[in-house]
């Protein structure tokens, strides 16, 4: 009888201990509100760090784009300025060749008039008439050469204007790219500042929750 009582008590003790351990285990599995807040704060902090790293990467990429745009803009401006100098040089050449051509045309007109006078005065085969024809031929050669120079100067001028206009278009495009990349960089910096504030706030919340206040 005593043995049976002892066995029963032992069974009750084991069952009670099992129930007690199960209750303690269940309590350990269910986090308290404070523990849940701490977990959430840590999760928020990890998320903030990821956002901050991403926005910094975006900001740095935008800054590289800005630096690239600046180099493109500087190079295109140099090209545009060189083309403008070429245009100015072409204009100078064109004006000089036109002056030479006009002078040659006046010489031709003078030689023609002189040839007519000498033909009448000395005859077609006279020394004076032959000299006039030689001068007229030389002036016509000079006039034709000056005209070819003028045509060449015009072609150079047109090409340099096309190059200058293309460079100006590149400059305008570079300015747009630069403006856009600066806006992106500035927005990324704003995002970084916001991420830092969020991270600071979540760390503060974590410290607060750990203190249990």
């Amino acid at each position: 009888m005593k043995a049976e009582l002892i066995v029963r008590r032992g069974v009750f003790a084991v069952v009670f201990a099992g129930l007690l351990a199960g209750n303690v285990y269940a309590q350990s599995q269910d986090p308290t509100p404070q523990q849940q807040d701490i977990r959430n704060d840590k999760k928020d902090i990890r998320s903030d760090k990821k956002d901050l790293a991403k926005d910094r990467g975006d900001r740095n990429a935008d800054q590289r784009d800005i630096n690239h745009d600046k180099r493109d803009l500087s190079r295109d401006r140099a090209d545009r300025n060189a083309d403008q100098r070429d245009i100015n040089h072409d204009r100078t050449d064109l004006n000089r060749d036109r002056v030479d051509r006009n002078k040659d045309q006046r010489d031709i007109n003078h030689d023609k008039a002189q040839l007519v006078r000498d033909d009448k005065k000395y005859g077609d085969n006279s020394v004076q008439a032959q000299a006039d024809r030689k001068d007229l031929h030389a002036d016509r050669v000079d006039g034709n050469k000056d005209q070819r120079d003028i045509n060449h100067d015009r072609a150079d001028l047109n090409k340099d204007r096309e190059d200058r206009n293309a460079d100006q278009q590149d400059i305008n495009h570079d300015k747009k790219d630069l403006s856009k990349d600066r806006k992106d960089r500035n927005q990324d910096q704003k995002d970084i500042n916001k991420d830092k504030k969020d991270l600071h706030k979540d760390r503060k919340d974590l410290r607060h929750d750990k203190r249990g206040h």
Side-chain angles (χ1 to χ4, degrees):
M1 189 69 181
K2 287 183 179 180
E4 184 179 350
L5 182 61
I6 291 172
V7 170
R8 285 180 180 177
R9 286 179 178 175
V11 170
F12 285 141
V14 171
V15 171
F16 179 75
L19 292 173
L20 182 62
N23 186 40
V24 170
Y25 178 76
Q27 288 181 351
S28 66
Q29 290 297 102
D30 295 333
T32 64
Q34 180 183 359
Q35 290 173 331
Q36 187 61 47
D37 287 343
I38 290 174
R39 288 181 183 176
N40 290 338
D41 291 336
K42 288 182 177 179
K43 183 178 179 182
D44 290 341
I45 288 172
R46 287 194 297 271
S47 179
D48 292 338
K49 286 181 177 179
K50 287 181 182 179
D51 289 343
L52 183 57
K54 179 182 180 300
D55 289 333
R56 279 175 172 162
D58 291 342
R59 189 269 317 272
N60 293 341
D62 288 332
Q63 187 61 52
R64 287 192 295 271
D65 289 341
I66 288 172
N67 296 339
H68 183 267
D69 292 336
K70 285 181 177 179
R71 288 192 295 271
D72 286 345
L73 182 58
S74 178
R75 184 172 57 246
D76 289 333
R77 279 176 171 162
D79 290 343
R80 189 268 319 272
N81 293 341
D83 288 333
Q84 188 60 53
R85 287 192 295 271
D86 289 342
I87 288 172
N88 297 339
H89 182 266
D90 292 338
R91 285 175 177 167
T92 300
D93 288 346
L94 182 59
N95 290 335
R96 184 172 59 246
D97 289 334
R98 280 174 173 163
V99 169
D100 291 342
R101 191 268 321 270
N102 293 341
K103 179 180 181 298
D104 289 334
Q105 188 59 51
R106 288 193 297 272
D107 290 342
I108 289 170
N109 295 338
H110 177 270
D111 291 339
K112 284 180 178 180
Q114 186 66 41
L115 178 60
V116 170
R117 287 194 297 271
D118 289 340
D119 280 346
K120 288 182 178 179
K121 186 174 181 180
Y122 302 108
D124 294 344
N125 295 322
S126 64
V127 175
Q128 293 84 350
Q130 289 178 0
D132 293 337
R133 287 189 178 92
K134 186 177 180 180
D135 290 342
L136 179 59
H137 175 74
D139 289 335
R140 279 176 173 162
V141 169
D142 289 342
N144 291 337
K145 180 181 179 300
D146 289 334
Q147 187 60 52
R148 286 193 298 271
D149 290 342
I150 288 171
N151 295 341
H152 183 266
D153 292 337
R154 284 176 177 167
D156 286 346
L157 182 58
N158 289 335
K159 181 181 180 300
D160 289 333
R161 280 174 173 164
E162 288 178 1
D163 291 343
R164 190 268 317 272
N165 293 341
D167 289 333
Q168 187 60 53
Q169 289 172 354
D170 290 341
I171 288 171
N172 295 340
H173 184 265
D174 292 337
K175 285 180 177 179
K176 287 181 181 178
D177 286 346
L178 182 59
S179 176
K180 179 181 179 300
D181 290 334
R182 279 175 172 162
K183 286 181 181 178
D184 290 343
R185 191 268 318 272
N186 293 342
Q187 181 60 51
D188 288 334
Q189 188 61 52
K190 289 179 182 177
D191 291 341
I192 289 172
N193 295 340
K194 181 179 181 300
D195 292 338
K196 286 180 178 178
K197 288 181 181 178
D198 290 343
L199 182 60
H200 177 74
K201 179 180 180 299
D202 290 333
R203 282 174 172 164
K204 185 177 179 182
D205 289 344
L206 178 61
R207 290 193 298 270
H208 183 271
D209 291 334
K210 281 184 176 179
R211 287 196 298 267
H213 296 160

